[in-house]
Amino acid sequence: LFLSPSNAGFFNGYTRAIANYRNQWASMGNAYQTFGLSVDGGLFKTKKHTAFMGYGFTMYRDQAGAAKLSRTNFMVNVSGIVKLGNHSALSVGLAGGTIGTNGNFSGITYESQFNGNTLDPSLNSGETPYNKFVTTDASIGSTYEYSKFKRDPDHDDGLTIKVFAAAHHINKPTQQFGISSSSRLPVRFVYGIMSVYDVVDTRFTLTPTFVYISQGSANELFFGSYLKYRLKTGTKVTGVKTQDAIGFGLYYRVKDAIVPKLIADLGDYSVALSYDVNFSGYTTASRGFGGFEIALRYNNLASSLFHARKEFR
C-alpha cells in the first residue's frame, strides 16, 4: 500500500495486516526511527464476480534528530479490481489522508548562543519559532497482475507478476516549517515489478522485485530477490495444507546499500528481518551501518488453502 494504493485488497486472501519497524543510521545518534502499519482487504471478492473492491488503511511515522522532528501520515485507500480473464486482473486505486509534522526544538542550541566560552541555551537564538502543521495528502496508482498455477495433488507451482505505477502527494501539500517559509512537497512517482515464481517440481520459490522512485531531483533504484525453500507445500486440490517456507534475500539500492534479508512464512503468518549495509559517500558518518528493519505480516487465508484461492481465480 505504501508503494501504490492500487494494491489495496489485491492479493490472495481476505484480510492482510503488516507492521514494520526500522532504525536507521544508529551509529550517528538520534537515528531515524520509522514505524509503519497497514491493513487491507477485499469486498465482494468471489469467483462469480468479475470485479470487486479493495480497501485499506495505512499509518506511517518517522522521527529523527535531537529535535525529534517527526512526520505522521494517515491514509485511507480504496481500489477497484477488474478480472481481465482467467490469468490477469487490473486495479486502480486512490488514497487520501493527512500528514502531521511536529518537533521539539526547546533542547536545540545555535551558534548565536555562544557567549565566548560555551553555548548558553538561555541566550536568545534569534531563530524563527518552529511551526507545527497538518496538511492533506492524496495518491493515485494502478496495478496489473498476470498469474497462472500448475495444480498437483501434492503441491502447486505458480507464477505471479505484478506491474504497478503510482503518484503520491499529487496535491503537493504546503510545508510551512516557519512563519515566513513555505514550500510544496513534490510529487513522488513509484514504478515497480514484483513477482513470485515457484520453480516447477521443486520446493524453491524466487521473488524478483524491481522498484524505481523519483521525487523532485532525487531518485532511487532498488532491486533483488528472495530465494525461498518451501518446508511444507500447499495445494488447492486437497485443501488440507498450508504453505511454510524459509528464505534468504539479497537486494541492492543503487549507489547506497546492499540489503540482506531473512524471511520465514508459517502459513498465514510471516516475519522478515533485513539490514542495510551502507557503502555510499555517507559512510564517513554511518561507518557502514545502515538500517535494521523487522516486518510482521498476517494474511488471512493467504496460504494454499482451497477456499482462499478458489474464490478469486
Side-chain angles (χ1 to χ4, degrees):
L1 270 62
F2 290 109
L3 293 171
S4 175
S6 57
N7 289 322
F10 200 4
F11 62 95
N12 288 318
Y14 297 107
T15 304
R16 173 174 61 182
I18 303 174
N20 287 73
Y21 172 76
R22 180 179 177 86
N23 189 299
Q24 188 168 335
W25 299 324
S27 61
M28 297 172 53
N30 298 310
Y32 278 90
Q33 296 187 62
T34 304
F35 175 76
L37 177 67
S38 68
V39 179
D40 69 317
L43 300 172
F44 321 114
K45 198 173 185 179
T46 68
K47 191 175 182 180
K48 293 183 295 183
H49 293 157
T50 58
F52 60 94
M53 290 182 62
Y55 67 89
F57 308 92
T58 62
M59 190 280 287
Y60 174 95
R61 178 177 173 81
D62 199 35
Q63 177 178 295
K68 301 187 184 303
L69 184 65
S70 66
R71 173 165 291 183
T72 305
N73 187 204
F74 291 95
M75 300 289 278
V76 176
N77 297 252
V78 178
S79 65
I81 299 100
V82 179
K83 299 176 186 178
L84 303 178
N86 293 330
H87 300 289
S88 61
L90 179 68
S91 172
V92 175
L94 300 169
T98 62
I99 303 175
T101 304
N102 203 344
N104 180 9
F105 280 62
S106 61
I108 290 184
T109 54
Y110 300 87
E111 181 183 7
S112 57
Q113 295 173 306
F114 184 67
N115 61 15
N117 294 309
T118 185
L119 289 171
D120 184 356
S122 65
L123 294 177
N124 186 358
S125 67
E127 296 291 329
T128 302
Y130 174 73
N131 185 43
K132 304 173 185 178
F133 59 91
V134 177
T135 63
T136 58
D137 193 21
S139 303
I140 188 170
S142 182
T143 300
Y144 170 80
E145 180 190 76
Y146 172 83
S147 62
K148 67 177 182 178
F149 292 91
K150 175 188 176 184
R151 299 183 173 98
D152 289 323
D154 60 337
H155 71 281
D156 293 334
D157 292 321
L159 169 66
T160 301
I161 300 174
K162 277 190 174 182
V163 181
F164 60 88
H168 301 269
H169 316 308
I170 57 175
N171 58 324
K172 296 183 179 180
T174 299
Q175 311 294 290
Q176 191 167 356
F177 291 95
I179 296 175
S180 59
S181 66
S182 65
S183 61
R184 304 297 294 272
L185 189 62
V187 178
R188 175 163 53 91
F189 297 98
V190 181
Y191 310 93
I193 301 173
M194 305 178 74
S195 58
V196 178
Y197 171 64
D198 295 330
V199 182
V200 177
D201 295 330
T202 75
R203 289 178 174 263
F204 291 100
T205 299
L206 291 170
T207 61
T209 299
F210 170 94
V211 177
Y212 176 77
I213 303 173
S214 67
Q215 185 175 25
S217 61
N219 61 80
E220 176 179 293
L221 176 60
F222 184 79
F223 60 89
S225 177
Y226 276 117
L227 175 63
K228 291 184 179 181
Y229 179 76
R230 287 174 279 173
L231 301 172
K232 184 170 65 173
T233 57
T235 171
K236 302 179 193 63
V237 177
T238 63
V240 297
K241 291 183 179 180
T242 60
Q243 182 167 290
D244 297 341
I246 57 172
F248 173 76
L250 191 63
Y251 296 81
Y252 176 54
R253 185 179 298 108
V254 175
K255 297 181 180 180
D256 180 57
I258 294 175
V259 186
K261 292 190 173 187
L262 295 173
I263 190 170
D265 294 330
L266 302 173
D268 296 342
Y269 298 88
S270 179
V271 58
L273 301 172
S274 69
Y275 193 87
D276 290 17
V277 182
N278 176 236
F279 61 82
S280 68
Y282 202 60
T283 53
T284 303
S286 70
R287 299 197 297 274
F289 296 105
F292 166 78
E293 185 171 342
I294 182 170
L296 305 174
R297 184 190 70 203
Y298 170 72
N299 190 348
N300 180 236
L301 293 180
S303 52
S304 298
L305 287 170
F306 180 67
H307 293 293
R309 286 182 176 168
K310 178 184 177 183
E311 291 197 5
F312 319 145
R313 298 296 181 185

PDB file of all heavy atoms in Angstrom, residues 167-172 185-189 214-216:
ATOM      1  N   ALA A 167       1.513   7.717  -8.133  1.00  0.00           N
ATOM      2  CA  ALA A 167       1.937   9.095  -7.883  1.00  0.00           C
ATOM      3  C   ALA A 167       1.418   9.500  -6.509  1.00  0.00           C
ATOM      4  O   ALA A 167       0.211   9.464  -6.269  1.00  0.00           O
ATOM      5  CB  ALA A 167       1.397  10.038  -8.956  1.00  0.00           C
ATOM      6  N   HIS A 168       2.332   9.856  -5.614  1.00  0.00           N
ATOM      7  CA  HIS A 168       1.985  10.248  -4.255  1.00  0.00           C
ATOM      8  C   HIS A 168       2.142  11.759  -4.087  1.00  0.00           C
ATOM      9  O   HIS A 168       2.922  12.396  -4.786  1.00  0.00           O
ATOM     10  CB  HIS A 168       2.872   9.518  -3.253  1.00  0.00           C
ATOM     11  CG  HIS A 168       2.779   8.020  -3.336  1.00  0.00           C
ATOM     12  ND1 HIS A 168       1.878   7.290  -2.589  1.00  0.00           N
ATOM     13  CD2 HIS A 168       3.455   7.117  -4.101  1.00  0.00           C
ATOM     14  CE1 HIS A 168       2.015   6.002  -2.866  1.00  0.00           C
ATOM     15  NE2 HIS A 168       2.969   5.876  -3.786  1.00  0.00           N
ATOM     16  N   HIS A 169       1.409  12.317  -3.137  1.00  0.00           N
ATOM     17  CA  HIS A 169       1.399  13.762  -2.883  1.00  0.00           C
ATOM     18  C   HIS A 169       0.980  14.529  -4.144  1.00  0.00           C
ATOM     19  O   HIS A 169       1.572  15.559  -4.493  1.00  0.00           O
ATOM     20  CB  HIS A 169       2.776  14.269  -2.417  1.00  0.00           C
ATOM     21  CG  HIS A 169       3.442  13.397  -1.397  1.00  0.00           C
ATOM     22  ND1 HIS A 169       2.815  12.991  -0.240  1.00  0.00           N
ATOM     23  CD2 HIS A 169       4.695  12.849  -1.374  1.00  0.00           C
ATOM     24  CE1 HIS A 169       3.653  12.233   0.460  1.00  0.00           C
ATOM     25  NE2 HIS A 169       4.772  12.126  -0.207  1.00  0.00           N
ATOM     26  N   ILE A 170      -0.043  14.032  -4.836  1.00  0.00           N
ATOM     27  CA  ILE A 170      -0.433  14.660  -6.102  1.00  0.00           C
ATOM     28  C   ILE A 170      -1.004  16.057  -5.880  1.00  0.00           C
ATOM     29  O   ILE A 170      -1.065  16.851  -6.817  1.00  0.00           O
ATOM     30  CB  ILE A 170      -1.441  13.784  -6.873  1.00  0.00           C
ATOM     31  CG1 ILE A 170      -2.691  13.495  -6.025  1.00  0.00           C
ATOM     32  CG2 ILE A 170      -0.782  12.496  -7.332  1.00  0.00           C
ATOM     33  CD1 ILE A 170      -3.765  12.731  -6.774  1.00  0.00           C
ATOM     34  N   ASN A 171      -1.422  16.363  -4.654  1.00  0.00           N
ATOM     35  CA  ASN A 171      -1.914  17.713  -4.351  1.00  0.00           C
ATOM     36  C   ASN A 171      -0.795  18.659  -3.917  1.00  0.00           C
ATOM     37  O   ASN A 171      -1.049  19.816  -3.600  1.00  0.00           O
ATOM     38  CB  ASN A 171      -2.977  17.655  -3.262  1.00  0.00           C
ATOM     39  CG  ASN A 171      -2.468  17.007  -1.983  1.00  0.00           C
ATOM     40  OD1 ASN A 171      -1.687  16.068  -2.036  1.00  0.00           O
ATOM     41  ND2 ASN A 171      -2.911  17.494  -0.833  1.00  0.00           N
ATOM     42  N   LYS A 172       0.459  18.160  -3.876  1.00  0.00           N
ATOM     43  CA  LYS A 172       1.632  18.948  -3.496  1.00  0.00           C
ATOM     44  C   LYS A 172       1.367  19.771  -2.224  1.00  0.00           C
ATOM     45  O   LYS A 172       1.359  21.004  -2.247  1.00  0.00           O
ATOM     46  CB  LYS A 172       2.061  19.875  -4.638  1.00  0.00           C
ATOM     47  CG  LYS A 172       2.517  19.142  -5.887  1.00  0.00           C
ATOM     48  CD  LYS A 172       3.000  20.123  -6.943  1.00  0.00           C
ATOM     49  CE  LYS A 172       3.483  19.403  -8.187  1.00  0.00           C
ATOM     50  NZ  LYS A 172       3.968  20.357  -9.222  1.00  0.00           N
ATOM     51  N   LEU A 185       5.461  20.134  -1.257  1.00  0.00           N
ATOM     52  CA  LEU A 185       6.046  18.798  -1.287  1.00  0.00           C
ATOM     53  C   LEU A 185       5.926  18.246  -2.705  1.00  0.00           C
ATOM     54  O   LEU A 185       4.819  18.132  -3.235  1.00  0.00           O
ATOM     55  CB  LEU A 185       5.315  17.890  -0.301  1.00  0.00           C
ATOM     56  CG  LEU A 185       5.918  16.506  -0.041  1.00  0.00           C
ATOM     57  CD1 LEU A 185       7.305  16.638   0.572  1.00  0.00           C
ATOM     58  CD2 LEU A 185       5.004  15.706   0.880  1.00  0.00           C
ATOM     59  N   PRO A 186       7.039  17.899  -3.359  1.00  0.00           N
ATOM     60  CA  PRO A 186       6.961  17.431  -4.749  1.00  0.00           C
ATOM     61  C   PRO A 186       6.224  16.096  -4.868  1.00  0.00           C
ATOM     62  O   PRO A 186       6.189  15.293  -3.926  1.00  0.00           O
ATOM     63  CB  PRO A 186       8.436  17.265  -5.153  1.00  0.00           C
ATOM     64  CG  PRO A 186       9.212  18.051  -4.150  1.00  0.00           C
ATOM     65  CD  PRO A 186       8.432  17.995  -2.884  1.00  0.00           C
ATOM     66  N   VAL A 187       5.656  15.860  -6.020  1.00  0.00           N
ATOM     67  CA  VAL A 187       5.012  14.578  -6.299  1.00  0.00           C
ATOM     68  C   VAL A 187       6.077  13.482  -6.307  1.00  0.00           C
ATOM     69  O   VAL A 187       7.165  13.650  -6.861  1.00  0.00           O
ATOM     70  CB  VAL A 187       4.278  14.612  -7.650  1.00  0.00           C
ATOM     71  CG1 VAL A 187       3.646  13.252  -7.961  1.00  0.00           C
ATOM     72  CG2 VAL A 187       3.207  15.699  -7.639  1.00  0.00           C
ATOM     73  N   ARG A 188       5.763  12.368  -5.667  1.00  0.00           N
ATOM     74  CA  ARG A 188       6.684  11.218  -5.639  1.00  0.00           C
ATOM     75  C   ARG A 188       6.115  10.132  -6.561  1.00  0.00           C
ATOM     76  O   ARG A 188       5.013   9.643  -6.354  1.00  0.00           O
ATOM     77  CB  ARG A 188       6.847  10.688  -4.213  1.00  0.00           C
ATOM     78  CG  ARG A 188       7.682   9.424  -4.119  1.00  0.00           C
ATOM     79  CD  ARG A 188       8.146   9.189  -2.688  1.00  0.00           C
ATOM     80  NE  ARG A 188       7.040   9.216  -1.748  1.00  0.00           N
ATOM     81  CZ  ARG A 188       6.326   8.141  -1.376  1.00  0.00           C
ATOM     82  NH1 ARG A 188       6.598   6.954  -1.897  1.00  0.00           N
ATOM     83  NH2 ARG A 188       5.344   8.263  -0.499  1.00  0.00           N
ATOM     84  N   PHE A 189       6.890   9.763  -7.566  1.00  0.00           N
ATOM     85  CA  PHE A 189       6.474   8.747  -8.528  1.00  0.00           C
ATOM     86  C   PHE A 189       7.128   7.408  -8.182  1.00  0.00           C
ATOM     87  O   PHE A 189       8.327   7.359  -7.868  1.00  0.00           O
ATOM     88  CB  PHE A 189       6.855   9.159  -9.950  1.00  0.00           C
ATOM     89  CG  PHE A 189       6.178  10.415 -10.419  1.00  0.00           C
ATOM     90  CD1 PHE A 189       6.835  11.645 -10.350  1.00  0.00           C
ATOM     91  CD2 PHE A 189       4.877  10.383 -10.909  1.00  0.00           C
ATOM     92  CE1 PHE A 189       6.210  12.812 -10.768  1.00  0.00           C
ATOM     93  CE2 PHE A 189       4.252  11.545 -11.335  1.00  0.00           C
ATOM     94  CZ  PHE A 189       4.917  12.762 -11.259  1.00  0.00           C
ATOM     95  N   SER A 214      11.119   8.354  -7.798  1.00  0.00           N
ATOM     96  CA  SER A 214      11.679   9.675  -8.068  1.00  0.00           C
ATOM     97  C   SER A 214      10.810  10.741  -7.407  1.00  0.00           C
ATOM     98  O   SER A 214       9.584  10.617  -7.370  1.00  0.00           O
ATOM     99  CB  SER A 214      11.786   9.939  -9.572  1.00  0.00           C
ATOM    100  OG  SER A 214      10.507  10.025 -10.164  1.00  0.00           O
ATOM    101  N   GLN A 215      11.457  11.759  -6.867  1.00  0.00           N
ATOM    102  CA  GLN A 215      10.756  12.873  -6.231  1.00  0.00           C
ATOM    103  C   GLN A 215      11.626  14.114  -6.349  1.00  0.00           C
ATOM    104  O   GLN A 215      12.731  14.159  -5.804  1.00  0.00           O
ATOM    105  CB  GLN A 215      10.450  12.573  -4.765  1.00  0.00           C
ATOM    106  CG  GLN A 215       9.610  13.645  -4.093  1.00  0.00           C
ATOM    107  CD  GLN A 215       9.223  13.252  -2.675  1.00  0.00           C
ATOM    108  OE1 GLN A 215       9.887  12.464  -2.033  1.00  0.00           O
ATOM    109  NE2 GLN A 215       8.113  13.803  -2.198  1.00  0.00           N
ATOM    110  N   GLY A 216      11.143  15.109  -7.061  1.00  0.00           N
ATOM    111  CA  GLY A 216      11.951  16.296  -7.295  1.00  0.00           C
ATOM    112  C   GLY A 216      13.229  15.905  -8.030  1.00  0.00           C
ATOM    113  O   GLY A 216      13.193  15.220  -9.057  1.00  0.00           O
TER     114      GLY A 216
END
